[in-house]
Amino acid sequence: MHSGFFIPLLIFSLAFSATAHADESLPWERLTPFREGTIHYRITGAQQGTEILYIKDYGRKRVKESESTMHVFGRTMTTKTRELTSPEWVLRYNLSDSWGEKNTNPVRLYRQEYEQLGEGEKKIFAANAAQLGPSLFENAGSIVQSRSGTILGFLCDRISFGGFSSSCLLHDTDIPLQSEVRVVGTINRLQAVRIDLFSPVPDALFEPPANIQVAVNEEVEAMLRQAIHQAVQTLKQPGGIEALQEQARQFLPGQDADDAESQLPSSQNPSRKMQRRTIR
């Protein structure tokens, strides 16, 4: 995981969600337009496979299961992962080698940082958050188009980074319905192929895999906390939006190949330790 790209991603996550919800107590929370559902994806490009995203409680609880293969020097490398998201934690498992890690849910960290602000700072933060949107990445090589179209009958918002990465997110959420990343001439794509809002999502899916221990990834945790603290501290000040724009301009242009890999959908690019694969 590349720390340089991690910070603007978190700042962008805050910006995009703040536009979606005017709830001052939690402006970064994005809720799905349905209580529960299942989204089926197809993975193509350097990796081939499938992904399933299970959603409950309007997106507060999620399970993402991915299985993909990649051909390298005549060998087939298989990766099978599972990610569980609760209001408290995000847990990631590599089922291919029975290894796991976890980190605090960023929404929880945003809430903690926000609650430490004074009343005057909260008002400034709310005013800044209410204005965030496409302007955050103006002149930084990135474009956000709200309500840009529909995928499988659902309205989506398009986000483009510097011409090498683009995503269509379920409107007012952080859930991709389509994602494309160009890496060394190859287009890696995550594409929603079916959305099921009628079949119940079993509670058993949200149980962690048996016999796999997880520990906090301290490196990622430190980056999370620092990035979120920085974003909240910036937005509590007058002119905070302009400061975030300047940070975006520093990070987004001129990404190298290693940075580009950091932008793969999470199923294709978990942390470096999670990238260990089973070769068959």
Side-chain angles (χ1 to χ4, degrees):
M1 181 173 293
H2 192 282
S3 59
F5 191 71
F6 199 77
I7 292 175
L9 272 182
L10 286 169
I11 294 173
F12 175 77
S13 178
L14 171 64
F16 201 72
S17 58
T19 307
H21 294 274
D23 180 2
E24 182 177 336
S25 65
L26 195 60
W28 43 81
E29 184 176 57
R30 291 157 291 187
L31 303 180
T32 59
F34 44 84
R35 181 183 296 273
E36 66 179 58
T38 305
I39 305 178
H40 298 260
Y41 298 91
R42 178 174 59 247
I43 300 170
T44 58
Q47 293 180 323
Q48 305 282 327
T50 60
E51 180 170 293
I52 303 176
L53 177 63
Y54 301 95
I55 298 169
K56 296 198 76 165
D57 193 18
Y58 296 100
R60 295 185 182 93
K61 296 173 62 178
R62 307 178 191 181
V63 174
K64 181 166 58 180
E65 297 181 339
S66 304
E67 185 169 4
S68 63
T69 59
M70 182 169 61
H71 301 286
V72 180
F73 301 117
R75 298 181 298 177
T76 299
M77 306 172 66
T78 300
T79 303
K80 188 174 182 180
T81 63
R82 190 177 185 200
E83 181 178 282
L84 281 67
T85 299
S86 72
E88 292 77 30
W89 297 99
V90 177
L91 300 94
R92 297 173 293 275
Y93 298 89
N94 187 316
L95 303 180
S96 302
D97 63 1
S98 300
W99 189 90
E101 66 182 15
K102 68 177 181 179
N103 287 102
T104 305
N105 189 321
V107 171
R108 180 182 172 191
L109 297 178
Y110 279 131
R111 184 188 296 115
Q112 292 173 355
E113 288 287 338
Y114 176 82
E115 290 304 323
Q116 294 179 27
L117 301 180
E119 290 304 314
E121 293 172 331
K122 287 181 178 179
K123 290 181 180 179
I124 297 174
F125 178 94
N128 281 330
Q131 299 178 52
L132 286 173
S135 62
L136 175 61
F137 284 92
E138 276 184 352
N139 302 319
S142 299
I143 301 172
V144 179
Q145 297 172 295
S146 181
R147 302 173 182 268
S148 67
T150 61
I151 294 178
L152 298 176
F154 286 85
L155 198 62
C156 64
D157 305 314
R158 179 175 293 277
I159 305 161
S160 300
F161 288 93
F164 53 77
S165 174
S166 67
S167 298
C168 285
L169 306 181
L170 180 64
H171 178 56
D172 279 352
T173 77
D174 61 343
I175 296 175
L177 297 182
Q178 179 179 299
S179 178
E180 295 184 356
V181 180
R182 295 177 181 271
V183 180
V184 195
T186 301
I187 299 178
N188 298 286
R189 181 179 289 113
L190 180 72
Q191 177 73 51
V193 295
R194 183 164 65 92
I195 300 177
D196 181 359
L197 302 183
F198 300 101
S199 302
V201 177
D203 291 333
L205 285 172
F206 295 83
E207 295 296 325
N211 304 320
I212 299 181
Q213 299 296 317
V214 296
V216 174
N217 184 319
E218 298 293 351
E219 180 183 3
V220 172
E221 189 75 9
M223 288 191 295
L224 271 173
R225 292 182 179 275
Q226 175 60 30
I228 291 171
H229 174 77
Q230 179 180 338
V232 174
Q233 291 298 307
T234 300
L235 287 178
K236 77 175 187 180
Q237 303 174 21
I241 294 175
E242 289 77 10
L244 287 185
Q245 288 176 324
E246 179 59 31
Q247 293 173 22
R249 282 190 286 269
Q250 292 175 9
F251 283 103
L252 286 178
Q255 301 295 319
D256 56 28
D258 183 63
D259 293 327
E261 290 181 4
S262 298
Q263 299 167 72
L264 286 169
S266 57
S267 64
Q268 299 178 53
N269 185 43
S271 67
R272 294 196 184 278
K273 288 184 179 179
M274 291 292 286
Q275 286 181 310
R276 294 180 293 177
R277 298 180 175 88
T278 299
I279 302 176
R280 69 182 184 187

